[in-house]
Amino acid sequence: MPCFSCGARQTDPVRGVSPWKRGVRRETQVLICPDCQRAHDLDLDTCAACGSVALICRLGEVECRSCGAVRLARAGRPASAGNAAVTGGSGTPGLADEVQAALERVLGRTR
């Protein structure tokens, strides 16, 4: 998954913790590269309880990594990559379609 802001691709980190961060933007889990983390106008969702941007979105819930508050992802907004359905509401391929296409490419199969 590329950086949502600049499109840079994540590479394997040397050793230790990755310098890339996760965030939630419009109910969607996003990755933020180290360069874009320095920008202060990333328009990330914030926790209603503590105001932190340290959120993760999974299984239809948004969780704050700072205070632990959990809420349901808002209906009618895009799901996170971890929650991707077979196809998104806009007709874009979801995680299942992407995985199937990747397997078909690797195994040399056609639909």
Side-chain angles (χ1 to χ4, degrees):
M1 177 186 297
C3 174
F4 87 95
S5 183
C6 71
R9 289 268 176 200
Q10 185 177 19
T11 57
D12 290 334
V14 183
R15 278 192 171 251
V17 179
S18 172
W20 286 62
K21 301 294 181 198
R22 290 183 287 183
V24 175
R25 185 171 187 257
R26 299 183 191 135
E27 304 296 308
T28 301
Q29 180 86 30
V30 295
L31 279 178
I32 308 150
C33 74
D35 291 337
C36 290
Q37 288 174 37
R38 292 189 262 291
H40 296 286
D41 58 346
L42 292 175
D43 191 29
L44 296 174
D45 296 353
T46 58
C47 175
C50 71
S52 172
V53 294
L55 303 176
I56 57 171
C57 188
R58 63 176 178 237
L59 301 174
E61 295 180 334
V62 177
E63 178 182 345
C64 178
R65 302 289 284 200
S66 294
C67 72
V70 177
R71 67 169 173 79
L72 291 176
R74 290 181 212 114
R77 309 257 330 246
S80 75
N83 301 338
V86 174
T87 57
S90 63
T92 58
L95 180 60
D97 289 337
E98 292 178 21
V99 170
Q100 182 177 359
L103 286 171
E104 289 170 353
R105 280 192 306 273
V106 170
L107 299 175
R109 297 180 185 161
T110 59
R111 287 189 177 192

